[in-house]
């Protein structure tokens, strides 16, 4: 997609004007981004997306439970295997243009080594999980979907807490090929080798507890 946009600009006789307009617009946006960094506070979940500052509303319980269930499993597995680092909700990940606070993120060992106790701006994760809500679904499936793919997020998991389904996207080049929506069966990560969980473990407390015990037992 990015190649097609560039080619369209290169073929336009308005190329110098387009570049100048884009530079001015980007400079204005970066000024707003610097103000965003100065103004944000830890009390709320904030994101900066294409020049817009977004403060998120409180989440429904089903959203919180799905996030908690997935985070607890991935975090436990990564701790047992010493495979990197996992963060939840309010870790701000900095992309070239935008700043996001995904629901769950994973960093492999190389990027985990870049994180210290004072880190506020986190690097681009190796795996991102977004739990859908009515106010975020358009961005989760739109600008974030595109941004994550084009900047090397190797896996993108989209969890729907209402339908109780998961979409596990794996990066191919700079895009995520279509996948089937899963309501049952196993989900296996390529980015976190060995991490394989039932879909139901994200939505069912009993299944979640069973899988958690297996992880801590090293099975």
């Amino acid at each position: 997609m990015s190649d097609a946009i560039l080619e369209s600009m290169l073929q336009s006789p308005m190329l110098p004007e387009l570049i100048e307009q884009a530079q001015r617009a980007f400079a204005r946006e970066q000024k707003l981004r610097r103000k965003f960094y100065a103004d944000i506070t830890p009390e709320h979940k904030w994101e900066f997306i294409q020049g817009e500052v977004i403060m998120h509303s409180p989440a429904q319980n089903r959203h919180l439970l799905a996030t908690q269930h997935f985070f607890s499993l991935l975090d436990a597995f990564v701790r047992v295997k010493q495979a990197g680092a996992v963060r939840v909700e309010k870790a701000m990940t900095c992309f070239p243009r935008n700043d996001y606070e995904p629901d769950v993120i994973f960093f492999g060992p190389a990027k985990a080594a870049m994180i210290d106790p004072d880190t506020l701006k986190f690097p681009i994760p190796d795996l991102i999980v977004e739990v859908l809500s009515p106010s975020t679904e358009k961005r989760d499936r739109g600008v974030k979907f595109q941004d994550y793919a084009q900047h090397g997020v190797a896996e993108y998991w989209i969890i729907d807490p209402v339908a109780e389904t998961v979409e596990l996207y794996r990066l191919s080049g700079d895009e995520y090929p279509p996948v089937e929506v899963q309501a049952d069966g196993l989900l296996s990560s390529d980015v976190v080798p060995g991490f394989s969980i039932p879909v139901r473990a994200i939505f069912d407390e009993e299944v979640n507890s069973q899988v958690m015990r297996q992880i801590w037992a090293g099975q």
Side-chain angles (χ1 to χ4, degrees):
M1 182 181 294
S2 57
D3 289 343
I5 294 172
L6 177 59
E7 183 61 28
S8 176
M9 290 181 62
L10 291 174
Q11 294 301 320
S12 172
M14 296 291 291
L15 178 62
E17 290 85 352
L18 291 172
I19 291 175
E20 184 178 346
Q21 290 174 19
Q23 288 175 334
R24 287 200 301 268
F26 189 63
R28 288 194 298 270
E29 187 175 292
Q30 290 306 295
K31 183 178 180 180
L32 292 172
R33 194 178 193 185
R34 290 190 292 272
K35 185 177 186 302
F36 165 76
Y37 290 150
D39 291 347
I40 55 176
T41 61
E43 289 82 13
H44 302 286
K45 183 175 178 179
W46 303 85
E47 294 184 313
F48 184 88
I49 303 178
Q50 298 184 178
E52 181 181 2
V53 177
I54 298 167
M55 186 180 77
H56 290 272
S57 303
Q60 293 180 336
N61 190 49
R62 62 166 58 92
H63 182 287
L64 298 174
L65 286 174
T67 302
Q68 178 182 331
H69 286 160
F70 184 89
F71 168 76
S72 64
L73 295 173
L74 180 60
D75 186 56
F77 182 87
V78 170
R79 286 172 181 267
V80 168
K81 301 297 183 180
Q82 298 183 342
V86 184
R87 298 292 182 268
V88 63
E89 288 199 310
K90 293 181 71 175
M92 188 171 70
T93 62
C94 298
F95 285 67
R97 185 180 181 186
N98 301 311
D99 300 288
Y100 305 110
E101 293 190 0
D103 291 305
V104 182
I105 53 179
F106 164 78
F107 302 97
K111 290 184 179 179
M114 301 165 58
I115 301 170
D116 62 39
D118 295 322
T119 296
L120 179 64
K121 299 177 184 178
F122 288 79
I124 294 174
D126 296 304
L127 180 154
I128 288 180
V129 178
E130 295 284 12
V131 180
L132 299 179
S133 66
S135 63
T136 67
E137 182 168 5
K138 183 177 179 180
R139 288 189 294 270
D140 292 342
R141 295 190 180 280
V143 61
K144 290 185 177 184
F145 192 93
Q146 182 179 354
D147 208 356
Y148 294 169
Q150 292 185 344
H151 292 101
V153 178
E155 282 185 5
Y156 181 27
W157 298 48
I158 295 179
I159 297 174
D160 186 334
V162 176
E164 298 192 347
T165 58
V166 181
E167 299 155 51
L168 200 175
Y169 294 93
R170 296 179 174 87
L171 193 63
S172 178
D174 62 354
E175 62 183 14
Y176 297 124
V179 298
E180 291 186 3
V181 177
Q182 291 187 241
D184 53 26
L186 289 176
L187 297 162
S188 298
S189 174
D190 293 339
V191 174
V192 190
F195 182 67
S196 182
I197 60 171
V199 173
R200 296 306 307 160
I202 299 173
F203 308 108
D204 186 297
E205 185 75 40
E206 183 176 347
V207 178
N208 183 273
S209 297
Q210 291 172 356
V211 177
M212 181 66 76
R213 288 193 291 270
Q214 292 170 0
I215 289 174
W216 283 118
Q219 299 180 6

